[in-house]
Amino acid sequence: FYRLMPHGAMVALFGGAFIYALVAMAMAARSFWRDGAPADAVATLRDVWRAAGDTLRLRYLDGGGEVCSVDPEARVDRRRLFHHLAFYGFLLCFAATSVATVYHYVLGREAPYPWYDLPVALGTVGGIGLAIGPIGLWLQKQTVGIGPGRGATGMDVAFIAMLFLCGATGLLLLALRGTPAMGTLLALHLGVVFAFFLAMPYSRFVHGIFRFAALVRYAHERRQQRS
């Protein structure tokens, strides 16, 4: 990997894009919180913890009780399942990158790592989630008869496509990293990831930030009402 792109250049390029996305989303979340919130509204750790639990369970994905499913009588909420696959797939890929960072800077172990090592295992499972989840979400958008965003196009579908490509190109790179195709696949995967970072603050991804902030505010308001 580093013969094709030096590690320092990779960190500077992608680290800069990721920090830019984080700052932009943090500013958006701050504006969202201030919009309509009381001047003295201060969330506590308990509010954040409760909102995190609701977020990780996708508790309110059904929109208040009506399941957004192709088949209203289906026992399995496929939309929730595909959201979970995409959401946790992304988190696992982020965890894989974080573990690899510790390996590199703390343990002095450089990539690539064997298939059984923790960064590869986390990235493989996460990549599978990112490949399956977005496909399912896209199919749901084409056929769903209820719920928001049915048949949506434009940036919404582009974001789903970018999630899928992040997972799919990562899995291909892992499978073919020992072949002559590695260079092309590395460039393709890094290009998709870089574009994903730049688009994060302006894509469907940011709605997750707003949803989490709304759940924090909801937990705060409920606590205020009880006190």
Side-chain angles (χ1 to χ4, degrees):
F1 295 152
Y2 301 143
R3 286 200 301 268
L4 297 174
M5 186 175 190
H7 182 263
M10 191 180 298
V11 170
L13 185 64
F14 289 87
F18 186 62
I19 291 174
Y20 164 77
L22 288 181
V23 171
M25 290 188 295
M27 294 173 63
R30 183 184 63 177
S31 298
F32 177 84
W33 179 267
R34 291 179 173 179
D35 185 18
D40 59 346
V42 178
T44 65
L45 183 59
R46 182 179 179 183
D47 298 332
V48 175
W49 181 260
R50 187 181 187 92
D54 291 339
T55 300
L56 293 174
R57 296 195 304 270
L58 298 178
R59 180 177 179 183
Y60 298 107
L61 187 63
D62 57 5
E66 185 179 25
V67 175
C68 296
S69 173
V70 176
D71 182 3
E73 297 182 356
R75 295 184 177 181
V76 179
D77 185 358
R78 293 185 178 87
R79 181 169 172 266
R80 182 184 296 273
L81 172 63
F82 294 136
H83 267 90
H84 272 296
L85 286 171
F87 176 61
Y88 284 104
F90 175 83
L91 289 183
L92 286 173
C93 288
F94 182 77
T97 303
S98 301
V99 173
T101 301
V102 173
Y103 275 19
H104 185 93
Y105 289 106
V106 178
L107 303 180
R109 297 178 55 189
E110 294 188 355
Y113 306 109
W115 64 268
Y116 52 82
D117 216 337
L118 188 57
V120 179
L122 291 172
T124 300
V125 177
I128 293 173
L130 281 183
I132 298 176
I135 290 177
L137 290 174
W138 182 80
L139 291 175
Q140 289 276 291
K141 285 185 175 297
Q142 309 311 308
T143 57
V144 71
I146 57 177
R150 60 178 180 272
T153 56
M155 281 296 291
D156 196 23
V157 172
F159 175 67
I160 292 176
M162 290 178 70
L163 275 179
F164 167 77
L165 289 174
C166 283
T169 57
L171 291 174
L172 281 174
L173 177 60
L174 174 63
L176 301 176
R177 63 182 179 178
T179 71
M182 189 271 285
T184 300
L185 290 174
L186 178 64
L188 179 61
H189 179 62
L190 293 181
V192 170
V193 172
F194 186 74
F196 176 77
F197 283 168
L198 292 182
M200 278 172 64
Y202 316 105
S203 68
R204 187 72 171 174
F205 186 92
V206 79
H207 99 285
I209 306 297
F210 293 152
R211 293 277 291 181
F212 177 72
L215 288 171
V216 173
R217 181 187 294 182
Y218 179 54
H220 170 75
E221 291 173 349
R222 283 195 296 175
R223 181 171 53 81
Q224 291 294 98
Q225 291 172 359
R226 289 194 297 266
S227 62

